[in-house]
Amino acid sequence: GDRRVSRIVVERLDDSDVSAVAWNAYVEAHADATIYHLHAWRHIFERSFGYRPWLLVARADADRTICGVLPLYRVQGLFGRRLVSVPFRDRGGLLWSTPEAFQALVAEARKIVREAGASSVTLKTITPYPRQLAESASLREHQHWIHSAVDLRGLTADAMWQRIGDKNRNMV
């Protein structure tokens, strides 16, 4: 059969309220979205930490329907600049509705790496991207997040803070 694939256009979102509403509507309707995908994080990371944002929107060229989003931020590390999908968090990477949107967003992220003088782009997720999509986009998977938990049930406030410890108290 004749399978038509809609051409995908990736736009770099501006800071208008209309753009924010459309971005958030897609995020809120997407099953894999997290709070870190919401538009407001753009301002938090930019104003609080000075991270330059790029919010990428993939649209079907035929009807302009959003079919994917990717938040990116340029961060300065010990070994130079890099782009990350969400600083400080282990989630908040690509959201997509079609394989073509996934590929187009990754391709645009690679262009921004060059423009931003960055060494790499890190697309964070707690669920691995589908193997076929990751391979088609030449992504390499790295698993390096460590999650720790402290059981605080049944503790008084003083005992809780003692169990957390001075070093971790500052993070809370």
Side-chain angles (χ1 to χ4, degrees):
D2 180 26
R3 183 175 176 266
R4 287 191 161 170
V5 175
S6 176
R7 194 169 89 81
I8 302 298
V9 175
V10 176
E11 300 170 351
R12 298 175 187 190
L13 201 67
D14 61 27
D15 204 23
S16 73
D17 291 338
V18 173
S19 295
V21 168
W23 174 280
N24 285 341
Y26 180 80
V27 167
E28 290 166 1
H30 200 285
D32 296 326
T34 70
I35 190 171
Y36 306 108
H37 285 99
L38 292 173
H39 188 273
W41 287 95
R42 170 190 187 137
H43 301 295
I44 293 168
F45 289 126
E46 186 174 27
R47 293 176 185 160
S48 299
F49 301 102
Y51 296 158
R52 166 108 196 282
W54 286 268
L55 299 185
L56 305 181
V57 177
R59 295 182 186 272
D61 195 27
D63 62 4
R64 310 273 304 136
T65 302
I66 294 177
C67 53
V69 299
L70 174 59
L72 290 174
Y73 300 89
R74 185 181 63 204
V75 300
Q76 183 72 37
L78 289 174
F79 304 107
R81 291 184 188 148
R82 62 192 175 97
L83 297 179
V84 298
S85 55
V86 175
F88 310 116
R89 301 300 309 156
D90 58 354
R91 58 200 75 195
L94 274 158
L95 296 178
W96 72 97
S97 303
T98 68
E100 295 82 12
F102 182 99
Q103 292 168 341
L105 288 165
V106 171
E108 188 66 19
R110 285 195 168 106
K111 288 180 190 172
I112 295 170
V113 165
R114 290 188 297 275
E115 291 172 20
S119 60
S120 65
V121 62
T122 301
L123 305 175
K124 297 181 179 182
T125 180
I126 57 172
T127 306
Y129 296 124
R131 181 181 309 213
Q132 187 175 3
L133 281 179
E135 287 175 1
S136 71
S138 300
L139 298 181
R140 290 186 321 229
E141 184 176 292
H142 298 278
Q143 296 180 350
H144 62 274
W145 282 91
I146 299 170
H147 301 275
S148 303
V150 176
D151 188 0
L152 302 176
R153 292 174 291 196
L155 297 177
T156 65
D158 288 339
M160 177 187 71
W161 287 116
Q162 186 175 3
R163 172 88 47 96
I164 291 173
D166 292 337
K167 181 179 177 185
N168 294 323
R169 179 187 295 219
N170 293 336
M171 291 187 283
V172 175

